[in-house]
Every structure is written in structure tokens, then in C-alpha cells.
């Protein structure tokens, strides 16, 4: 079994809160320099830049297509998909629940850059990605699973936008595949162990909004190859695959 | 102030008529929040919660914090699952078309106070 260092939560310049330097080629370069074997592109409520990062990476780095979906309760859910097409289909469903940006939105949140693999701008996203969808936690998990994806409760240690912060208790019946800890919790620390009580695998992700955040923490995936299918097995603890802290 | 008097004065719709034991409960304290971790940490025992949040966890948190009742603002309505859980836990659910600010203002004027009054 091989060991793969994975940062499963990286934003691009499509997210209005992310730095404009988060372009496909720059993200790939930083991820490789950090020694990562796998990243997941998870912009707020959209998968529109995922394929561009995959193209920029080619065969050098495994790039999963994902999204960070905001539920109606303002919980963040990291969604990872088998391929860019599935992510795009899920993204369209999520986008249908969002409003349009206006001048005030752009001034407050920033621009939303749709980028090509070489980092050049193709378009500006007009859906208000920084706002909440109309879907509750359970509906988001169902939507993600419906497209063959994995649903991970994002940064559950954080007071804002984590499911525990918003909902008081972890929604054990929602059907999450894993829980994510932010870089503010040291891997292997007693604080990290506290979140292991939900009997779900823990992943550790950077939630990078700046290039220098990429790989700040990562998840060790024990698998044959750095693919979505292998990650799914690792999260399930099946066929000798597993995930662990760095 | 009794819960049934509050319901009448504020024109609240009772969603859990099955929960009869709480109608005579004296409500002295209230809390308003949509963040359930905050409710869990700060809502006074026996109080009424005013919230927009209609996730099922409202009941788990209300039960933990030993709240008497939950008023949903802005005409937000919980689903049947949540109603069934509330009945099982003996928590009254009520709904108002008014927003949180107006509901809390009227409760306060009726003598229902927060943690620090």
C-alpha cells in the first residue's frame, strides 16, 4: 500500500474570499512543492474551476473536483466527486438555489474569477457564491451522494460555519462520510482526538484561500493510487485502505 | 407570565397542541439565537427560545438546555419529524409571522427577561 499526502480542501480565485493568486497553474505548483499527491478543489457553492485545475495538473498531481456547499443553516459541507462532470452536475443543482451578485456584493465579497488551465480569465461568475443555498444539511448530503460523491462536514472545530457551531450537536443521522478538522487543530493532538467520537474518519485540510496555505495540514491516505475511488475506500476503511493524520 | 397567555397575547400558532403540560408553565426568561451551540451554552433553563432555525437539532438542544418552548419567527415551520420529537420531549413549538426582533420586544414588554436583567 502506498502513502499519499492529500489536502482535500483548496479554494481557487472563483471563491470571492480567496486570493486572486489562486490560479490553476499556481495551485498545482505549490501543491507539488509541498509534496502533496492529491488535492481537492472546493470553491464555495461551485465546481466551475475544478476541471481547469485538473487540466493544469495533468498527470503530475491528482486533483479531485469538489465544492464547499453552504447549507441553509449556514453549515459548510465539503463535497468531493468522482469526476468533473459529476461535480458540474451537482454544482448546477446547487447554483439553482443561489441569487445573482450585485455591485454591493462585489464590493463586499470580491470578484469571482472563472479561470482556464493556464490561469487566464474566461468569465466572471454571476451567482452569489458566498451566500447560503436553500438546502438543509440532510438535503445537501443527499444531493452529494446522488451524484456519487462524498460529503465531509467541513472544519467542525470552528465556531463559524461548522455543523457543531451552527447546530449545537453533530447531526449523526445526516449521513456524512467524514469530518474535517481545520489547520487550527494540531494533528494527533488531544483536541483532534476530541472530534473522533463521531465514529467517522477524520481528515485534516488547509481550506487554503492563499497559495501559502496549501498543504499547511494534510491527510495521509493509505491507498494503491491517488484516485477518488481509492479515497472513498480509505474513508470507509475498506480493503486495507485507510486515512490518518500527518 | 404563563405560556398560554404569551401565545394568546402574541397571536402565536401552537404547532404542538399535544403538549398540554407546558401551557401553565411560568415563563420568566427568554433567549434569542439561531446558533444552536450558543443556545446550548447560554439559554436559561425553563426559558422560551426565539429562533429562525428549523433544523431537527433544535429539539435536541432545547431538551438538553431544558427549555419550555420554542417560538419560530418569520413563519418558519418545522417538519413533521421535528414536531414528533418535540411532542416526545414535552417541548411546545409555536410559530409567528413576526420577525425575531418584534417577538422579543413584545416578550420583554410582557415581563419576560434575558439572562442579565
Amino acid at each position: 500500500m502506498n502513502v499519499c499526502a492529500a489536502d482535500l480542501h483548496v479554494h481557487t480565485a472563483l471563491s470571492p474570499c480567496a486570493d486572486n493568486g489562486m490560479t490553476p497553474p499556481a495551485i498545482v505548483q505549490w501543491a507539488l512543492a509541498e509534496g502533496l499527491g492529491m488535492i481537492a478543489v472546493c470553491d464555495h457553492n461551485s465546481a466551475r474551476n475544478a476541471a481547469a485545475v485538473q487540466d493544469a495538473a495533468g498527470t503530475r498531481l491528482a486533483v479531485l473536483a469538489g465544492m464547499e456547499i453552504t447549507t441553509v443553516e449556514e453549515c459548510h459541507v465539503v463535497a468531493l466527486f468522482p469526476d468533473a462532470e459529476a461535480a458540474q452536475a451537482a454544482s448546477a443543482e446547487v447554483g439553482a438555489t443561489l441569487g445573482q451578485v450585485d455591485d454591493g456584493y462585489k464590493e463586499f465579497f470580491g470578484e469571482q474569477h472563472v479561470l482556464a488551465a493556464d490561469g487566464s480569465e474566461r468569465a466572471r461568475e454571476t451567482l452569489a457564491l458566498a451566500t447560503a443555498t436553500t438546502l438543509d444539511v440532510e438535503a445537501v448530503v443527499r444531493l452529494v451522494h446522488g451524484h456519487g460523491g462524498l460529503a465531509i462536514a467541513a472544519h467542525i472545530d470552528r465556531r463559524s460555519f461548522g455543523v457543531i457551531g451552527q447546530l449545537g450537536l453533530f447531526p449523526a443521522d445526516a449521513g456524512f462520510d467524514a469530518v474535517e478538522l481545520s489547520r487550527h487543530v494540531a494533528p494527533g493532538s488531544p483536541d483532534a482526538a476530541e472530534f473522533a467520537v463521531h465514529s467517522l474518519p477524520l481528515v485534516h485540510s488547509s481550506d487554503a484561500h492563499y497559495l501559502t496555505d496549501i498543504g499547511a495540514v494534510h491527510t495521509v491516505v493509505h491507498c494503491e493510487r491517488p484516485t477518488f475511488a481509492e479515497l472513498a475506500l480509505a474513508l470507509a476503511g475498506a480493503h486495507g485502505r485507510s486515512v490518518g493524520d500527518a | 407570565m404563563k405560556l398560554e397567555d404569551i401565545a394568546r397575547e402574541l397571536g402565536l400558532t401552537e404547532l404542538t397542541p399535544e403538549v398540554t403540560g407546558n401551557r401553565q408553565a411560568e415563563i420568566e426568561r427568554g433567549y434569542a439565537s439561531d446558533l444552536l451551540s450558543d443556545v446550548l451554552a447560554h439559554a436559561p433553563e425553563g426559558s422560551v427560545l426565539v429562533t429562525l432555525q428549523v433544523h431537527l437539532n433544535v429539539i435536541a438542544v432545547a431538551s438538553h438546555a431544558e427549555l419550555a418552548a420554542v417560538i419560530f419567527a418569520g413563519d418558519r415551520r418545522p417538519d413533521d419529524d421535528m414536531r414528533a420529537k418535540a411532542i416526545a420531549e414535552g417541548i411546545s413549538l409555536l410559530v409567528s409571522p413576526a420577525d425575531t426582533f418584534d417577538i422579543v420586544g413584545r416578550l420583554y414588554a410582557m415581563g419576560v427577561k434575558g439572562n442579565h436583567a
Side-chain angles (χ1 to χ4, degrees), chain A residues 71-89:
Chain A
T71 74
V72 72
E73 306 93 344
E74 304 201 347
C75 302
H76 286 178
V77 177
V78 163
L80 306 177
F81 296 94
D83 51 48
E85 289 72 29
Q88 205 45 58

Side-chain angles (χ1 to χ4, degrees), chain B:
Chain B
M1 178 71 69
K2 288 191 170 43
L3 185 59
E4 62 180 4
D5 298 330
I6 290 173
R8 193 182 54 248
E9 292 273 323
L10 266 63
L12 305 175
T13 306
E14 205 177 350
L15 301 173
T16 51
E18 295 89 343
V19 182
T20 51
N22 279 357
R23 288 195 184 131
Q24 301 294 319
E26 280 294 335
I27 307 291
E28 292 171 5
R29 301 272 162 185
Y31 201 73
S33 181
D34 305 323
L35 276 180
L36 297 181
S37 54
D38 172 60
V39 174
L40 203 52
H42 299 119
E45 196 182 317
S47 67
V48 59
L49 170 69
V50 183
T51 188
L52 284 174
Q53 182 67 261
V54 289
H55 190 275
L56 187 60
N57 274 20
V58 168
I59 305 304
V61 165
S63 167
H64 236 78
E66 299 184 45
L67 307 185
V70 179
I71 301 173
F72 297 105
D75 213 20
R76 296 203 182 210
R77 298 189 180 244
D79 62 17
D80 289 343
D81 257 17
M82 184 160 167
R83 223 181 62 79
K85 277 238 160 93
I87 293 164
E89 296 285 340
I91 296 161
S92 300
L93 304 183
L94 306 113
V95 64
S96 167
D99 62 36
T100 300
F101 192 90
D102 285 331
I103 295 168
V104 171
R106 293 188 63 187
L107 284 171
Y108 213 90
M110 290 167 74
V112 179
K113 303 294 187 198
N115 265 320
H116 304 292

Side-chain angles (χ1 to χ4, degrees), chain A residues 9 33 40 43 75 106 139 154 156 169 173 185 191 202 214 243:
Chain A
H9 188 167
D43 284 306
C75 302
K106 283 188 240 174
I156 61 164
L169 309 160
D173 298 332
V185 179
D191 284 351
L202 284 179
I214 297 171
V243 293

Side-chain angles (χ1 to χ4, degrees), chain A residues 120-144:
Chain A
S120 61
E121 185 172 70
R122 287 169 48 219
R124 297 270 170 101
E125 177 58 60
T126 62
L127 291 171
L129 302 181
T131 58
T133 66
T134 58
L135 308 164
D136 65 22
V137 169
E138 287 75 9
V140 166
V141 173
R142 275 198 305 274
L143 186 154
V144 173

